[in-house]
Structure formats: structure tokens, C-alpha cells
Amino acid sequence: MAVKKEKYPMPEQDPKKRIKNFDEVPYGYDEQTAIEEAKRCLQCKNKPCINGCPVEIDIPDFIKHIAEGDFDKAIDVLKSKTSLPAVCGRVCPYENQCEGECTLLKIGDPVGIGRLERFLADYERKKGVKIPKIAKSTGKKVAVVGAGPAGLTCAGDLAKMGHKVTIYEALHEPGGVLMYGIPEFRLPKEIVKAEVDYISKLGVDINYDVVVGKTISVDDLIKDVDAIFIGTGAGLPRWLRIPGENLDGVYSANEFLTRVNMMKAYLFPDYDTPVKIGKVVATFGAGNVAMDCARTALRLGAEKSYIIYRRSDKEMPARAEEIHHANEEGVIFKLLTNPTRFIGDDKGILKEVECIKMELGEPDDSGRRRPVPVKGSEFKIKIDTALVAIGQSPNPLIPQSVKDLKIGKWGNIETDEDGRTNIPYIFAGGDIATGAATVILAMGAGKKAARAIDEYLKLKK
Amino acid sequence: MVVKAPLVAKKAQAGQFIILRIDEQGERIPLTIADYNGKKGTVTIIFMEVGKTTKQLGTLNVGDKILNFVGPLGVPSEIEKYGTVVCIGGGVGIAPLYPVIRALKQAGNNVISILGARNEKLLMLEKEIEEYSDEFHICTDDGSKGTKGFVSNVLQNLIDDGKKIDVVWAIGPVIMMKVVADLTRKYDIKTIVSLNPIMVDGTGMCGGCRVSVGNETKFACVDGPEFDGHLVDFDNLMLRNRRFICEEDEACKCAGVEI
């Protein structure tokens, strides 16, 4: 029987409707569709897809169980490697990872691995999550700093190995970027909470409102524990460094998204935190965060939402699905366009952005063709709000506060492949070590570090 | 208001602040630390009821809980022996100035304190501050207590009297700090100010609290809140602090609190 060339589509909210609400966009597969999609998998002997997975999930194995209709077995396979499948099934850039390695790409669409992972996680959550076997207590204690994807993964894995783990989180909620960064319509917060709940059920304690480096120091922590994992993420927003960036109306993507997602400004005044965007919003950058900003702006009532990006569509770093959704929702892409200055009125309120047209020149260090300004092509766009989404640098609080910890040139914590720092009892992973990357890479780093910590604790005795 | 927060109290130092959120629907707001007691595990905050959160905070009773209370945040004051330090507190800015004055005095400085407010009722901590001051001045805009006039007038008088001043510490409304910084710039007296911009997370993540200092963008939460007053762009700070004035009114109206 010939394999169907196209992925089974996932039903989605109509774009016209969904830009008026914050509900999740895709609905996910039903059982029958999941089975049909799973049957598309060729069950390759060499399993190329696993090479594309930062957390090493045995993808063909869980898909085989779905195809057989044995969802519980499929979940066991999935959960043996990832503690956050409902998250990964929604926000992983599959096209560059597992699905990018799929043999089916030679004849058509890859297997919808992400969609199947999401299906399983949602199926399990509805049914009630099973707590796996936890190894006998080792009597060793580990402190994890930051309850984002790296920290949660590391904590979950360590707990399963029998270590006592306590997470210290600076904010009032767990999840890190999953909570403050990624919007509700892409990753419902109830799902993040359920995944965190699972980590808690593994025996992990989470302390909120504790800023390690301020409320307690790493030196304080190590008095009570045997090892420390630092997963404090990429904090500091990067700026365009053009005139007018401090005008009223210019936000970092982080501030805008934190107000909306974590502080629920979209429910203002029922929630106290405000956000105001006016009628025309311009987002600078074209990564996932930029798409989140542009699409959130529409949902807050913006009449026009621009993505302004200095390179062309081929270089946009966002996931294909995010760009597709943004397009469907009416986000206007101004590509090969670079802002040169923000212009305000006499009260200092943002009114316009001046941009310059760009063209692509020779490849730069990143391998992408370098955008160069076209002389004399400046033009202005009237805007009410500017959202700067061009990336973040590692959060400096811990790197600054731990003496002798080796810091890289971008302010990141230097580690080896498994998250070991130059201080034997300190491990680190995720954006704090690599600079801003993806949720799944942070999870992969948390996983590797958990193994390295386990090894260290065994040797320590 | 005295808040039981042992972890914060243990680490708190002069010049630092906390962020609190009263309840699930609440906003995160920064407040400077007016006092702390590591042994008792308490942190004192003094605030003016100017917006929804501070008004709501004012309605709490002894024994009530604040949902989230995180700190101490920001870089502590650089306390050393400077010589003669003039400490200027305006209105509610007197509160965070108190631990600074105490620390400066304990470091062996000759401390001259100037407290100012619109009227007598808005003055605070006079006795406590006087105890740690070698010289103590009070002024009010309406003359209801101390000399009638602004803190900058008192400072000008000290300068005119030929007093040798090594450092000025000014905490208060933005306009007061701007006026003080403009004055001391003329005489080249090092001036430290404590800034109070709008914040969300307080850990360097959102950049909402960014201020222009010497034409560089700094974050008040992790680089401050204290900065060299001669380098701060106060006009931009005032502008950015007005960002959500309409929304604050609306929040107050919806909550049925008077503005």
C-alpha cells in the first residue's frame, strides 16, 4: 500500500475568529487521525528521526504503539525521555529536528511527529497522568535554579534517579519562558501548569519568589545540597540601539509578552497589569518571539500588525508554522527593511518609525547573506507601538554573583557538552549557557546535565 | 508597613528594593526598603497610596498576607567613608534614605540630612533620621514645619555657607532629584540618586525600567536603582513613568478606589 504523501491536517480555529481571542489555535488530532498519521511512519531500521531529537526520544517506537492503538504504551516510551511532552508537542521546531530527518521527506511530507507527540500528551492529561517508578532515594540533594524548560527537565530526571531536588524560581510562577514568553494561544498555561504538576509529583519542591544571587547566594545553597544546576535563561533583552528607543510606546518583546502572558494584561482591568498598544503595532525581528508579539498585538485589537525584518523571508528564524499562522491572521511582513530611528511627538510618545530598505549581499559569519542598506531609500511608517524582538543575552544575576565561575564572552556560563562548569558542583544548561535558543534545546541540556550530575553524585559518595 | 519576610530581611542592605504582588490579579510593583531586621526576619516598607496596588496595600490589616514578596533586589548603596555627605529625602523618598543615612553614619561620615515634603503630614522618620545625623534640616513647601521652601534651597544655603560637601545623596520625586543634580553639577559635587521607574519582573528580564544614564541604556532593577545623578536623563524617566497613567485611573475606578 502506498504511503499517503501529505500529513493529516490538524483542525484549527478560523483565523478571522481566533484573532479575537486567546484560545489555542490548533485543536490537535483525534484518536482515529492519530492512528492514521502514525501508520504513515515507515519504521526505518536506522531511525534517522532520533538523531534530530535533542532529548533522544525513541520516535518510531512510540509511533508504532500509536498505530496499533496502544496509546498507554506509546506514552511510556515518550515519557521515558521527556517530562514535558505537551509542551514539546506544541513548540518544538520539528521541521529542523525529528521531522527534518524523516525518510518520507523524499516523497512528500514527513510524519507529523510533533502532532503525534501532542496527541499523546493531551490524551494522557485527559485520562490522568501516571507517575512513573522513582529510583530508591540516594540521600543526595540537588538545587535547581530556574523553573524553565532546562530546570524542570533536569529536576524531573534527577528526581526519577532518586535524588532530592528543590527548584528556586525568581518569579511567582513556574515555567519560565513557557509562562511569561509563549502566548496562551500557542501554549495554554493550563498545560504548562499540568506539566509542572507532574514534575512536582515526582517529588520535586519548587520555591517561588527566590532570586538566587540576591535572596540567597549560590554559596548559601551549596551548604545544604550536593550539587547545583543553573538554568536561569536568557534574560536581558537586546535593543536595536537606534535613536528614540526609550520613547513611550517602545517595549522589549519580553516586557510586552510578560505583561500579556504572565500578568494577564489582556484581561485588564480584571487583572491589574496594563498594556496599551494603540492601532498600529510594529514588531522588529522575525523569530518565534517576534511572531508571538505580532499575533498577540492583533488579539489585543491592533488594526495593523507589522513584522519588520532586515533580511528576506528565507532567513526568518521562526518556525514555519508560526510564520504560516501569522500570515493567515493578517500580519503584514515588511522584509528587507531595517529601522533607523523612532520618532515621537513633543510629549515623547512614539508616532513613527523611520526605516531603510535593505538588499542581500555576501554571506556573513552566520552563513546567511548579509543585508546592506539601499542608499537614500529611507521611508516612514506611522506606528503607535514598537516591539523589539531581536533576541536576549544571558541573565547576568548569577554569573555576576558567583566568584570564580567561568563566564563566556557573551556573559554566558561556560560549560562542557554535558553542562559541567569549571566549578565541580555547579552545572548549567539552556539559554544561560548557550545564549537564546529553543525550549527543546534547553530541555536537552537539562537532560544531559542531569546525567552528569548523577555521575558526579555517585563519584562523590 | 512591617512585613515578615525572613529570607529578604537576612540579605537586605541600604539602597535595595523589593517587588510585591498582593493577590492573584495583582500587579508587580517595586518598593524601596525603608528598614530591615535580619534577626526578627522583618522588612519595613513605606509607600504613598497613589495607585490601585498601593491603595489596596493600605487596606491590609495586621496578620494579612501578601501573595508574593521578592527581594532584596538591585545593587546596594556604595557605602564608604566619603567625609561630609548631605542626604536629601523628599516625601516618600525619605523612607529608603533612612537605611542609607544610618549606614553612612556608621561608616564614619559627617552626615547632614535634609528632609522635605509638601507639608508637615507628609514628613516621616524625623526622629530616627535625626539620631544618625550630625546636622538636621527640615523644610516644607507650605512652611507647616521647618523652613518654608524646597530641599534645593536648603542645599544651596549650605553651599553658600562654604560648607565642604563630598557627596550628595538624593532620594525623592524625580523632579526633586533633577533639581538637586542640576544644582550640584554646577559645584561639581558627586550626587547619587535612587530611581523609581515602572518595573515588571525586577530581575533584568523585561527592560521596562530602562533609564538613560550617560547616554547608555541601563536597567534600574539590576544596574541600579542608584545612579550618578549627573548622568541620568531625568526627563526621559519622567516621560516613561507616565506611560500608564490613564490605565492606573481606570484600574482604580474599576476597583472602586478613589484616586
Side-chain angles (χ1 to χ4, degrees), chain B residues 236-249:
Chain B
N236 185 249
L237 176 61
M238 280 189 262
L239 175 157
R240 291 188 56 78
N241 275 354
R242 282 197 297 267
R243 287 199 289 157
F244 296 108
I245 282 188
C246 303
E247 287 74 15
E248 192 67 60
D249 286 355

Side-chain angles (χ1 to χ4, degrees), chain A residues 226-248:
Chain A
D226 302 286
I228 297 172
F229 174 77
I230 299 171
T232 47
L236 292 195
R238 287 217 180 94
W239 299 102
L240 292 160
R241 296 176 178 275
I242 57 174
E245 205 155 21
N246 289 345
L247 289 169
D248 180 356

Side-chain angles (χ1 to χ4, degrees), chain A residues 351-405:
Chain A
K351 290 291 159 197
E352 282 181 309
V353 58
E354 184 190 79
C355 297
I356 190 163
K357 290 248 161 72
M358 308 292 273
E359 56 190 6
L360 293 180
E362 294 299 309
D364 61 14
D365 298 345
S366 72
R368 299 180 295 182
R369 290 177 65 192
R370 185 194 299 276
V372 270
V374 180
K375 253 199 183 145
S377 66
E378 286 90 349
F379 65 103
K380 289 174 187 167
I381 310 175
K382 282 201 179 345
I383 58 171
D384 300 304
T385 297
L387 306 173
V388 181
I390 55 167
Q392 296 110 38
S393 330
N395 193 305
L397 279 179
I398 292 198
Q400 277 169 6
S401 72
V402 185
K403 226 179 63 189
D404 303 331
L405 184 62

Side-chain angles (χ1 to χ4, degrees), chain B residues 46 91-95 115 120-129:
Chain B
I46 297 179
V92 80
I94 297 171
L115 307 187
E120 186 183 1
K121 277 190 195 149
L122 296 173
L123 285 166
M124 62 185 83
L125 299 168
E126 293 148 81
K127 249 176 49 199
E128 289 87 342
I129 287 178

Side-chain angles (χ1 to χ4, degrees), chain A residues 159-381:
Chain A
K160 283 192 235 167
M161 294 167 186
H163 307 301
K164 178 67 205 159
V165 185
T166 305
I167 302 182
Y168 296 88
E169 168 57 45
L171 295 171
H172 58 262
E173 281 188 326
V177 70
L178 308 174
M179 217 57 161
Y180 72 73
I182 303 177
E184 179 77 17
F185 57 82
R186 196 148 79 82
L187 180 63
K189 301 307 147 212
E190 281 312 309
I191 287 170
V192 181
K193 282 181 184 155
E195 303 269 62
V196 173
D197 195 41
Y198 170 74
I199 304 283
S200 302
K201 284 188 179 142
L202 297 174
V204 173
D205 291 327
I206 309 182
N207 288 338
Y208 299 103
D209 299 326
V210 179
V211 184
V212 173
K214 290 285 174 190
T215 315
I216 40 175
S217 66
V218 167
D219 291 343
D220 292 337
L221 277 181
I222 199 61
K223 285 178 201 152
D224 295 323
V225 298
D226 302 286
I228 297 172
F229 174 77
I230 299 171
T232 47
L236 292 195
R238 287 217 180 94
W239 299 102
L240 292 160
R241 296 176 178 275
I242 57 174
E245 205 155 21
N246 289 345
L247 289 169
D248 180 356
V250 184
Y251 294 85
S252 75
N254 270 2
E255 179 180 5
F256 175 69
L257 291 173
T258 303
R259 283 179 179 273
V260 178
N261 299 329
M262 192 176 76
M263 304 311 296
K264 300 202 166 31
Y266 65 95
L267 299 174
F268 179 85
D270 290 338
Y271 280 71
D272 293 345
T273 305
V275 70
K276 60 174 169 189
I277 58 158
K279 289 186 178 145
V280 184
V281 177
T283 302
F284 300 89
N288 291 321
V289 175
M291 300 303 145
D292 286 346
C293 285
R295 298 173 66 199
T296 298
L298 287 173
R299 284 160 175 77
L300 290 172
E303 286 165 16
K304 270 188 184 164
S305 180
Y306 293 103
I307 286 274
I308 297 180
Y309 181 51
R310 65 199 179 113
R311 299 180 195 251
S312 77
D313 57 351
K314 289 185 195 69
E315 290 86 16
M316 290 200 286
R319 295 193 326 152
E321 189 181 326
E322 307 312 325
I323 297 168
H324 167 71
H325 280 151
N327 258 316
E328 273 189 338
E329 291 171 9
V331 170
I332 305 160
F333 287 79
K334 290 241 174 228
L335 305 177
L336 290 168
T337 303
N338 206 26
T340 47
R341 65 183 168 122
F342 293 114
I343 303 159
D345 64 8
D346 52 356
K347 291 193 188 92
I349 296 168
L350 176 69
K351 290 291 159 197
E352 282 181 309
V353 58
E354 184 190 79
C355 297
I356 190 163
K357 290 248 161 72
M358 308 292 273
E359 56 190 6
L360 293 180
E362 294 299 309
D364 61 14
D365 298 345
S366 72
R368 299 180 295 182
R369 290 177 65 192
R370 185 194 299 276
V372 270
V374 180
K375 253 199 183 145
S377 66
E378 286 90 349
F379 65 103
K380 289 174 187 167
I381 310 175

